[in-house]
Amino acid sequence: GESVGLHLPTLSVQEGDNSIINCAYSNSASDYFIWYKQESGKGPQFIIDIRSNMDKRQGQRVTVLLNKTVKHLSLQIAATQPGDSAVYFCAVRGKAGKSTFGDGTTLTVKP
Amino acid sequence: DAGVIQSPRHEVTEMGQEVTLRCKPISGHNSLFWYRQTMMRGLELLIYFNNNVPIDDSGMPEDRFSAKMPNASFSTLKIQPSEPRDSAVYFCASSLIGDGNSPLHFGNGTRLTVT
């Protein structure tokens, strides 16, 4: 099966700085990767995704990088704002539609 | 788009009682997932349905847990009898599985406390 791990359980950054959250996965056959943001009292919310035929995808202030060689995924948030404070999860979806989630990184933005 | 709707938002019950959690997925989505979230175990997939048919229930902890999806717009997760270790936040998510990208869309969860 798939296992998904994060490098750091917590991350604290200064407002305005860039944030980088990392994730590793185990199954080299995985083909779809997703980042979610979870705020207190809410369910995880989709941020950005990437397929295995790409190595970079950009959204508004967020970028996902995929390194299939080392099975590593990262989320970069530019100009981090207080509203970005949340728990961030990476997820890897298998071909049957089943998603495996990492443990989450708690991002704290200091004003 | 109302998103995935779960009810109740909070449930407090005594050990031994039956608990039923409800979920209305996003209209048009063909897959529905039940997850459980705890501090110790994180997000665990309990069961998921595709076109109302259970595909994988290997995450269901034991026979006390059961899930149904009688139609495309409704699903229930039942715990009978409930135990204190079932206390967690239960999330329902839906998705359109098929060609192309398809992330999960989560509801805001049901926080279950079993005393």
Side-chain angles (χ1 to χ4, degrees):
Chain A
E2 176 72 79
S3 69
V4 180
L6 279 165
H7 294 245
L8 286 175
T10 61
L11 177 65
S12 182
V13 301
Q14 205 70 36
E15 182 178 357
D17 287 352
N18 296 334
S19 303
I20 300 176
I21 301 172
N22 297 303
C23 184
Y25 60 96
S26 63
N27 189 346
S28 56
S30 298
D31 66 352
Y32 182 50
F33 308 86
I34 315 104
W35 282 99
Y36 294 89
K37 172 186 180 183
Q38 186 176 23
E39 296 174 290
S40 180
K42 296 184 179 181
Q45 181 180 24
F46 168 75
I47 303 172
I48 191 167
D49 56 6
I50 189 168
R51 282 208 167 272
S52 58
N53 60 354
M54 302 172 70
D55 52 22
K56 181 179 180 179
R57 193 165 188 222
Q58 288 184 289
Q60 188 177 14
R61 285 200 307 117
V62 293
T63 300
V64 56
L65 298 178
L66 175 64
N67 186 330
K68 294 180 288 294
T69 303
V70 296
K71 290 180 283 188
H72 182 270
L73 187 69
S74 69
L75 176 71
Q76 300 178 2
I77 305 173
T80 313
Q81 301 169 1
D84 295 327
S85 293
V87 181
Y88 290 81
F89 294 93
C90 66
V92 178
R93 200 182 73 190
K95 294 195 182 299
K98 183 175 174 178
S99 292
T100 301
F101 282 77
D103 291 334
T105 290
T106 300
L107 175 65
T108 302
V109 181
K110 296 177 289 187
Chain B
D1 181 1
V4 174
I5 299 173
Q6 291 186 248
S7 64
R9 285 283 278 142
H10 302 274
E11 177 79 38
V12 180
T13 191
E14 291 183 347
M15 183 174 66
Q17 296 298 306
E18 177 180 297
V19 174
T20 299
L21 311 181
R22 297 172 174 79
C23 175
K24 176 178 168 54
I26 292 174
S27 177
H29 281 184
N30 59 4
S31 294
L32 183 141
F33 303 76
W34 283 101
Y35 281 86
R36 178 171 68 177
Q37 187 176 41
T38 61
M39 289 293 291
M40 292 296 294
R41 295 175 174 267
L43 271 165
E44 301 175 275
L45 177 64
L46 301 177
I47 184 171
Y48 78 94
F49 297 83
N50 194 26
N51 293 321
N52 311 339
V53 176
I55 302 301
D56 185 346
D57 65 354
S58 60
M60 296 286 260
E62 46 197 275
D63 292 345
R64 297 185 297 106
F65 286 69
S66 62
K68 293 182 180 180
M69 192 165 185
N71 57 63
S73 59
F74 184 65
S75 177
T76 59
L77 177 67
K78 186 177 292 186
I79 308 172
Q80 166 63 18
S82 59
E83 296 183 3
R85 59 190 168 127
D86 301 331
S87 297
V89 181
Y90 290 81
F91 287 105
C92 175
S94 70
S95 183
L96 183 62
I97 301 296
D99 293 333
N101 301 338
S102 181
L104 298 176
H105 296 260
F106 284 82
N108 282 328
T110 295
R111 181 174 294 277
L112 174 64
T113 303
V114 184
T115 60

